[in-house]
Amino acid sequence: MTENSQQTPEPQKTPSQRMTLAKTLGIAVEFGFIVALPLLLFVFLGKWLDHKYHTVFIVYIGITLALAASTLWFYKRIVDLMNDMKK
């Protein structure tokens, strides 16, 4: 009996195509900061302004601005990663 099935070697990936565990964790941490930093900044600024002007709605505006900023920052980072993977 001879084996007719030959295994074809997998094509070699370039270093930019390889996604290592360290790169994956780094990107995950970066995305965490992309969400957390604007949220903390705008919420604390909104709370401070609410306290200063005796209002209750500025913190909600801060949350909305933080979500918008995080979304734009996240989108830009995804586009950059996609461009890096194409190289």
Side-chain angles (χ1 to χ4, degrees), residues 12-82:
Q12 292 290 330
K13 292 183 178 180
T14 63
S16 65
Q17 291 174 328
R18 278 187 241 136
M19 187 62 82
T20 63
L21 180 62
K23 281 184 182 179
T24 305
L25 289 175
I27 291 169
V29 168
E30 184 177 356
F31 286 159
F33 279 115
I34 286 173
V35 172
L37 289 178
L39 189 61
L40 289 173
L41 176 73
F42 284 112
V43 167
F44 283 128
L45 182 64
K47 285 184 68 123
W48 178 74
L49 288 172
D50 277 342
H51 181 71
K52 182 175 180 178
Y53 295 112
H54 306 290
T55 61
V56 292
F57 65 89
I58 297 176
V59 73
Y60 298 119
I61 293 171
I63 291 170
T64 304
L65 289 173
L67 291 174
S70 292
T71 301
L72 292 173
W73 192 2
F74 191 77
Y75 175 77
K76 182 182 179 328
R77 186 62 182 125
I78 291 290
V79 169
D80 290 343
L81 286 172
M82 296 287 285

